[in-house]
Amino acid sequence: MEGGEEIEIAEENEFPSVIGRKYSPVVAHDNDSAVIEMSSVRPGSSSSLPNHDLKKVKVGVHPNMASEERDESLSNHSSNGPQRESKLELFGFDSLVNILGLKSMTGDQIPAPSSPRDGEDITLTLEQPKPTADKSGTLMGVFMPCLQNILGIIYYIRFSWIVGMAGIGESLLLVVFCGSCTFLTTISLSAIASNGAMKGGGPYYLIGRALGPEVGVSIGLCFFLGNAIAGAMYVLGAVETFLNAVPSAGIFRETITRVNGTNIAEPITSPSLHDLQIYGIVVSILLCFVVFGGVKMINRVAPAFLVPVLFSLLCIFVGIFSVRHDRPAAGITGLSLESFKNNWGSAYQMTNNAGIPDPNGNIYWNFNALVGLFFPAVTGIMAGSNRSASLKDTQRAIPVGTLAATLTTTSLYLVSVLLFGAVATRDKLLTDRLLSATVAWPFPAIVYVGIILSTLGAALQSLTGAPRLLAAIANDEILPVLNYFKVADGHEPHVATLFTAIICIGCVVIGNLDLVSPTTTMFYLVCYAGVNLSCFLLDLLDAPSWRPRWKFHHWSLSLVGALLCIVTMFLISWAFTIVSLALASLIYYYVSIKGKAGDWGDGFKSAYFQLALRSLRSLGANQVHPKNWYPIPLVFCRPWGKLPENVPCHPKLADFANCMKKKGRGMSIFVSIIDGDYHERAEDAKDACKELSTYIDYKQCEGVAEIVVAPSMSEGFRGIVQTMGLGNLKPNIIVMRYPEIWRRENLTDIPATFVGIINDCIVANKAVVIVKGLDEWPNEYQRQYGTIDLYWIVRDGGLMLLLSQLLLTKDSFEGCKIQVFCIAEEDSDAEGLKADVKKFLYDLRMQAEVIVISMKSWEAEGEQQESVEAFSAARRRVASYLEEMKEQAQRDRTPLMADGKPVFVEEQQVEKFLYTTLKLNLMVQKYSRMAAVVLVSLPPPPLNHPATFYMEYMDLLVENIPRLLIVRGYHKDVVTLFT
């Protein structure tokens, strides 16, 4: 395009699927790698377009332009720049197929286009791609971080001691037990990580998307704390080893502990607490500066830590094979079969705080205690997944790298058990805490360097993973309190790193982490159990989206892995297990209350869905037994009147729907109908449904929202009553407001609609509850006193009785009593009817006072002046309606017509119906003047009567009754006499 010229093409007839949208084709440029974006703007709102250098092409043609002119316009447009001929022109989405069909599936921030509104523009723009940060591969991104994190100080300073205490046999069992826990967790991690694209957050992302945001955040924050505190532990371990190797570096005096009770009595030195604090703070700050440098800096520094560690391991193994000949020492036998046999069995005993055997010591060691001591040596398998946002291919790197690191270190431990058990006597194993340095070739200093660098490397990986984990949790915007740690894609989490550094330095200042370190191990185990449970749930449900590339997994392995994690927690310390689980539970509770969790498609939702399907199939389509009958109200939200724009449903309708449930059990369906064409108002329906759902949640109603678009309310409701629900989960009660305003506001279309809805309910065999005086219905805080009066006129399957009992379960009506009014045709029938009803209510376990009114007393009732005036006014209006229909029929020379169909009216019958409703109204006013609520049977609309006549009957029935429920049951019993 030259000079910013724009040619528009927007013919509705040629592209019916994209009416009202204007698409600009993508222009191909030879040497320009472009990024295609979509922005939806209103016509004329060009100011809303981004104000940077974009190459924009906007195409449009006036609808009335002749076809030749359109062809010429298109050819001129093509001549201005090379155009790619569309082979999918029929679909109208040639360019958008690639953009929205693929890109939106890998990124959550790109909204897919729904039904477009008229007048919307879609502009496709081309601009330079954003620079992306360097990504790491399997070796540097996963294998090396995991290897550095797993190979910690435990191997160097405690592993030989563990072999001496547990013996070779139980040490092998210990390594296999702890290694199996992490190996099975790695299998589960590989399966989940290879099931799709993975964002930052590592295990938090995996657990949250599998078990839900609440579980994900609770475990993720615990794992973050575990990583931050573990960083302090590693720093203290490195500093302590340095001060032991170079005592002169200590600023304060050392503490010396004499060793007694052993064959080899040697002094054990431990650095001053203040030295640990000072050096620990300095080292923590230096490591944090490295972490602040980002992934590039960490990847450059990591080999400097790892290579000396691997070299020290090589020196240890070389020294084991040559120590007896080159450097003989007391207790060092070299590789000896005799030492192997002597060290095979366990030697559990009492030790002092330094781990040296002492009969008077205060610590007794057994296998369970050794599990707690050794397990930190196998943790660290999440170091690679913690950096998932910095990996090139998470689906390949995480499984391969993590599994390789796990198998490598486990094999190293197994071989080391055999070699350490055969190279020295048991006393030497138990008293020389740095036996690995003693046997190292050519001199022990190499091992000291290896210990320091291995612990610093593990600390570096912990301080690298923890802030990225916290930033990932913050980016999901679940907890507003974590918004300070949010970070944009491709940027380093500096604020989260600073917070992690503060936690780490705070733990270093404490100096003694004997009470905190078991909790750190517990946090790791909680995370591992969460990963295993996530894979177990996803594998067991086997949803269509569960297609991991890693095929070597099974739900039973994940279940065993989760059980191993839980067993290990209790083996280490049941007290710390309870503390860690309690902390995770508190975070879960806090997130569930304060969090803004969305739908992540987690496994629990899939489980609920499958459980619902299975339950629905088990219910079948047969009639539900009365003992298992639950009210499923369909609440008709559209009121006969006006509501504020931001209120999609009458507030008291939601309160009444809650009154129809016992202890909140049951489901309500809130339905509203939008008049119009579905294709034109589909977007309005979606917006209205979201608004109604939000309002239902605000009113704390257990229910779902449905919006239907139909040409009229009558047609929409007829479709709803036929199709809403599945099997036996179809709504069985229609709840709506009585149209009290129809005459006051002269809404002449309401009678036909109202009568049509009632007739549809009768045909569909649905119960009906019509609420009169809805504005006066009490909420849960408004206590009601008096009675709940039932005027039981027709057999309704016990629905009216059941509704009264459900009302009593609510706080607002619990102080009321039930009165049942029955009508006997003869005085002689009154006593028998009363006895029968009492017996019936007794068998139903319902307490109520029974009052029988005979027809003679009904006829003798006095008439109030207001009711007589209302009756006279109704007679006049009915006569006027009838006269108008007759005149219209004479003019048209047709039978009497009303509401578009023929009617047949007997004036005597109309008079009788008016009189009947008048008398019933007078009876209610006499006996139920102080009632909290009145329930009366709903008379069905008479056949061949105009809808306005039925409204006159109903208006007489409800006259001067402030709060009334008009109930009609259906041909099913909802109560039963039997247990």
Side-chain angles (χ1 to χ4, degrees), residues 323-362:
V323 66
R324 185 175 183 181
H325 305 287
D326 296 347
R327 298 176 312 283
I332 302 296
T333 64
L335 293 178
S336 169
L337 184 60
E338 183 179 355
S339 299
F340 188 87
K341 292 179 180 179
N342 293 335
N343 294 331
W344 179 262
S346 61
Y348 297 121
Q349 53 190 297
M350 303 292 294
T351 69
N352 58 17
N353 292 332
I356 305 303
D358 186 354
N360 300 321
N362 54 3

Side-chain angles (χ1 to χ4, degrees), residues 903-955:
V903 296
F904 177 76
V905 179
E906 291 184 3
E907 296 185 20
Q908 293 181 349
Q909 190 181 37
V910 173
E911 188 83 10
K912 179 181 177 181
F913 288 164
L914 288 172
Y915 185 74
T916 300
T917 53
L918 170 66
K919 286 298 183 180
L920 183 56
N921 175 267
L922 292 174
M923 187 197 313
V924 173
Q925 292 191 57
K926 177 181 179 181
Y927 292 102
S928 303
R929 185 174 296 274
M930 302 303 294
V933 63
V934 177
L935 286 79
V936 65
S937 298
L938 172 69
L943 294 176
N944 300 325
H945 279 220
T948 51
F949 286 17
Y950 182 73
M951 292 303 300
E952 294 291 350
Y953 310 150
M954 294 299 297
D955 282 350

Side-chain angles (χ1 to χ4, degrees), residues 618-917:
S618 64
L619 283 176
N622 299 326
Q623 181 174 337
V624 178
H625 194 278
K627 288 193 295 184
N628 299 323
W629 189 88
Y630 284 87
I632 305 178
L634 190 148
V635 182
F636 194 31
C637 298
R638 183 168 181 170
W640 311 103
K642 295 182 179 180
L643 288 176
E645 292 183 359
N646 59 343
V647 181
C649 176
H650 197 292
K652 296 302 179 69
L653 268 179
D655 293 333
F656 178 73
N658 279 335
C659 289
M660 299 182 68
K661 303 172 187 176
K662 184 177 182 181
K663 298 180 180 179
R665 298 177 189 142
M667 180 182 69
S668 300
I669 303 175
F670 291 80
V671 173
S672 187
I673 299 173
I674 297 179
D675 295 338
D677 181 77
Y678 175 70
H679 294 282
E680 296 177 355
R681 307 207 63 182
E683 287 297 322
D684 294 333
K686 291 179 182 179
D687 295 340
C689 189
K690 291 179 182 178
E691 185 179 0
L692 183 56
S693 297
T694 303
Y695 189 76
I696 292 171
D697 294 337
Y698 166 74
K699 294 296 291 184
Q700 297 181 348
C701 294
E702 290 189 359
V704 295
E706 293 290 344
I707 303 295
V708 176
V709 180
S712 65
M713 189 192 304
S714 298
E715 293 186 25
F717 185 84
R718 189 167 295 127
I720 289 172
V721 81
Q722 294 181 75
T723 60
M724 188 66 68
L726 293 171
N728 273 321
L729 286 184
K730 291 183 178 179
N732 45 33
I733 301 178
I734 309 300
V735 179
M736 60 182 171
R737 182 184 186 182
Y738 184 78
E740 304 169 46
I741 64 169
W742 76 277
R743 181 180 295 111
R744 183 173 68 248
E745 298 189 11
N746 195 26
L747 301 176
T748 56
D749 59 328
I750 285 184
T753 303
F754 182 71
V755 172
I757 289 175
I758 296 177
N759 284 327
D760 291 340
C761 294
I762 295 174
V763 172
N765 197 24
K766 306 288 185 184
V768 183
V769 177
I770 302 173
V771 187
K772 191 263 180 181
L774 186 62
D775 296 330
E776 305 299 326
W777 190 263
N779 59 32
E780 56 182 332
Y781 304 109
Q782 294 174 327
R783 294 276 181 156
Q784 301 298 305
Y785 301 95
T787 59
I788 299 175
D789 292 352
L790 282 66
Y791 288 82
W792 199 12
I793 301 174
V794 297
R795 181 179 180 275
D796 59 359
L799 178 61
M800 191 182 296
L801 296 172
L802 185 62
L803 287 178
S804 64
Q805 294 296 318
L806 292 176
L807 290 176
L808 286 182
T809 62
K810 301 301 173 183
D811 294 338
S812 52
F813 289 100
E814 64 179 0
C816 299
K817 295 182 180 180
I818 297 178
Q819 293 185 144
V820 179
F821 292 86
C822 301
I823 299 176
E825 295 186 3
E826 300 292 340
D827 290 341
S828 58
D829 299 335
E831 292 301 325
L833 179 60
K834 184 175 183 178
D836 290 341
V837 173
K838 279 189 172 183
K839 179 64 168 57
F840 181 69
L841 294 178
Y842 176 80
D843 291 337
L844 288 177
R845 294 85 63 200
M846 295 181 179
Q847 294 183 354
E849 181 182 357
V850 179
I851 301 173
V852 178
I853 303 174
S854 65
M855 295 292 289
K856 289 185 178 181
S857 62
W858 186 356
E859 294 294 338
E861 291 291 340
E863 298 178 354
Q864 298 180 4
Q865 184 65 29
E866 294 180 1
S867 300
V868 171
E869 292 177 357
F871 176 73
S872 301
R875 291 179 62 185
R876 290 193 299 269
R877 286 192 296 270
V878 166
S880 176
Y881 296 150
L882 188 58
E883 187 65 27
E884 291 178 4
M885 286 190 295
K886 290 180 178 179
E887 292 178 359
Q888 184 67 32
Q890 289 178 358
R891 286 195 301 268
D892 299 339
R893 297 181 180 181
T894 59
L896 290 179
M897 300 287 293
D899 308 322
K901 56 185 178 181
V903 296
F904 177 76
V905 179
E906 291 184 3
E907 296 185 20
Q908 293 181 349
Q909 190 181 37
V910 173
E911 188 83 10
K912 179 181 177 181
F913 288 164
L914 288 172
Y915 185 74
T916 300
T917 53

Side-chain angles (χ1 to χ4, degrees), residues 286-300 468 492 494 497:
L286 292 177
L287 289 177
C288 290
F289 275 119
V290 175
V291 175
F292 269 107
V295 177
K296 278 187 177 181
M297 177 72 72
I298 296 168
N299 288 341
R300 290 173 182 173
R468 282 160 175 76
E492 293 295 327
H494 295 307
T497 302

Side-chain angles (χ1 to χ4, degrees), residues 239-313:
V239 172
E240 183 175 355
T241 304
F242 170 73
L243 292 175
N244 282 331
V246 188
S248 60
I251 302 174
F252 300 90
R253 290 192 312 171
E254 293 180 332
T255 302
I256 300 177
T257 304
R258 296 282 178 184
V259 178
N260 296 316
T262 61
N263 296 331
I264 304 174
E266 296 178 355
I268 301 298
T269 61
S270 60
S272 169
L273 174 63
H274 300 298
D275 285 339
L276 290 176
Q277 292 171 336
I278 293 174
Y279 280 98
I281 292 174
V282 172
V283 172
S284 299
I285 293 175
L286 292 177
L287 289 177
C288 290
F289 275 119
V290 175
V291 175
F292 269 107
V295 177
K296 278 187 177 181
M297 177 72 72
I298 296 168
N299 288 341
R300 290 173 182 173
V301 174
F305 287 99
L306 185 60
V307 171
V309 172
L310 299 179
F311 182 71
S312 68
L313 292 176

Side-chain angles (χ1 to χ4, degrees), residues 318-448:
V318 172
I320 288 175
F321 285 97
S322 62
V323 66
R324 185 175 183 181
H325 305 287
D326 296 347
R327 298 176 312 283
I332 302 296
T333 64
L335 293 178
S336 169
L337 184 60
E338 183 179 355
S339 299
F340 188 87
K341 292 179 180 179
N342 293 335
N343 294 331
W344 179 262
S346 61
Y348 297 121
Q349 53 190 297
M350 303 292 294
T351 69
N352 58 17
N353 292 332
I356 305 303
D358 186 354
N360 300 321
N362 54 3
I363 301 177
Y364 179 77
W365 292 91
N366 54 21
F367 186 82
N368 295 356
L370 291 182
V371 170
L373 177 64
F374 176 72
F375 194 84
V378 297
T379 60
I381 59 175
M382 298 293 178
S385 61
N386 285 345
R387 305 164 61 174
S388 55
S390 304
L391 298 177
K392 293 179 182 177
D393 184 3
T394 56
Q395 299 185 43
R396 173 178 172 79
I398 291 178
V400 174
T402 308
L403 194 61
T406 304
L407 294 177
T408 300
T409 51
T410 303
S411 301
L412 172 66
Y413 293 153
L414 291 174
V415 173
S416 298
V417 169
L418 300 176
L419 295 179
F420 281 133
V423 80
T425 62
R426 189 180 297 274
D427 287 340
K428 186 65 174 178
L429 292 173
L430 292 175
T431 55
D432 191 350
R433 299 176 66 182
L434 287 171
L435 181 65
S436 58
T438 303
V439 300
W441 176 88
F443 38 79
I446 294 179
V447 174
Y448 286 116

